[in-house]
Amino acid sequence: MNSNILKKGVVLLGILIGLYMGYRMFFAASVGKQAPDFETTLVDGSSFKLSELRGGYVLLDFWGSWCPPCRRENPKLAALHHRYKEQLTIVTVALEKTKNSWKRAAEKDGFVWKHQIVSQNSFVMLSEIARSYGVTAIPTKFLIDPQGNIVGKLSFEEIATLLDTVE
């Protein structure tokens, strides 16, 4: 009897998780729409609101110090920053279980920009900022245009090509 109840509970939990993920994907930020605004505190303690960066291109990057694919991409992100720092503002959101684990990784990977955020949560993908963008895996990057609209989830090469054509 207990085994049967446990099986039904697991199936129900699976269905609920599936519905939740579908809901997140349906209502997530999408290309051509206004980027969801958020307010938070940067790692230096200053207040930050995404919409304050309107007027220029913004790359919103979700990553984690514990994520090998993120760590492999981080040097490319740092190179993009150095090449386009006059045209592109990078905002990184570290999805972490502990507050300080991101720091060593960010320093090692060359994160020198001001707009760094740490979103701490026991279940990292449940970060409020990540949920508002429908992030279900990392690394995930959103390019946002000067009007605050999402251009897309572009590769570093696609971002460079776009920025090379912008005066």
Side-chain angles (χ1 to χ4, degrees):
M1 184 72 169
N2 285 340
S3 174
N4 199 17
I5 292 173
L6 181 62
K7 287 178 186 176
K8 288 180 181 178
V10 169
V11 169
L12 179 61
L13 181 61
I15 291 170
L16 290 174
I17 290 171
L19 289 171
Y20 173 72
M21 296 303 280
Y23 172 82
R24 278 181 54 188
M25 294 303 289
F26 184 74
F27 289 103
S30 57
V31 174
K33 297 210 173 173
Q34 194 75 40
D37 199 13
F38 60 86
E39 288 185 59
T40 190
T41 303
L42 299 175
V43 296
D44 68 3
S46 61
S47 296
F48 173 74
K49 187 172 182 179
L50 182 65
S51 60
E52 292 174 351
L53 297 177
R54 287 208 182 120
Y57 281 93
V58 174
L59 182 61
L60 181 61
D61 175 57
F62 292 90
W63 74 290
S65 64
W66 49 270
C67 167
C70 300
R71 300 296 305 280
R72 282 192 297 272
E73 282 196 357
N74 284 350
K76 293 178 187 175
L77 184 64
L80 191 74
H81 167 72
H82 289 296
R83 183 172 173 191
Y84 296 102
K85 60 184 160 193
E86 301 301 320
Q87 297 169 271
L88 178 69
T89 301
I90 295 177
V91 178
T92 49
V93 181
L95 304 177
E96 303 288 339
K97 287 185 179 183
T98 60
K99 191 137 179 109
N100 295 319
S101 56
W102 67 273
K103 189 173 186 172
R104 187 173 43 245
E107 288 173 356
K108 184 176 181 187
D109 296 347
F111 286 20
V112 295
W113 45 88
K114 172 183 173 73
H115 301 100
Q116 296 184 55
I117 300 162
V118 175
S119 182
Q120 183 183 350
N121 194 312
S122 296
F123 300 101
V124 294
M125 300 312 278
L126 295 181
S127 153
E128 187 175 325
I129 299 170
R131 283 185 297 150
S132 70
Y133 279 82
V135 174
T136 58
I138 57 173
T140 297
K141 295 162 186 34
F142 294 89
L143 184 63
I144 302 168
D145 72 13
Q147 293 74 40
N149 298 313
I150 296 176
V151 175
K153 296 179 186 178
L154 306 179
S155 69
F156 291 117
E157 294 78 18
E158 291 169 321
I159 293 168
T161 298
L162 183 131
L163 293 175
D164 285 339
T165 63
V166 176
E167 293 183 18

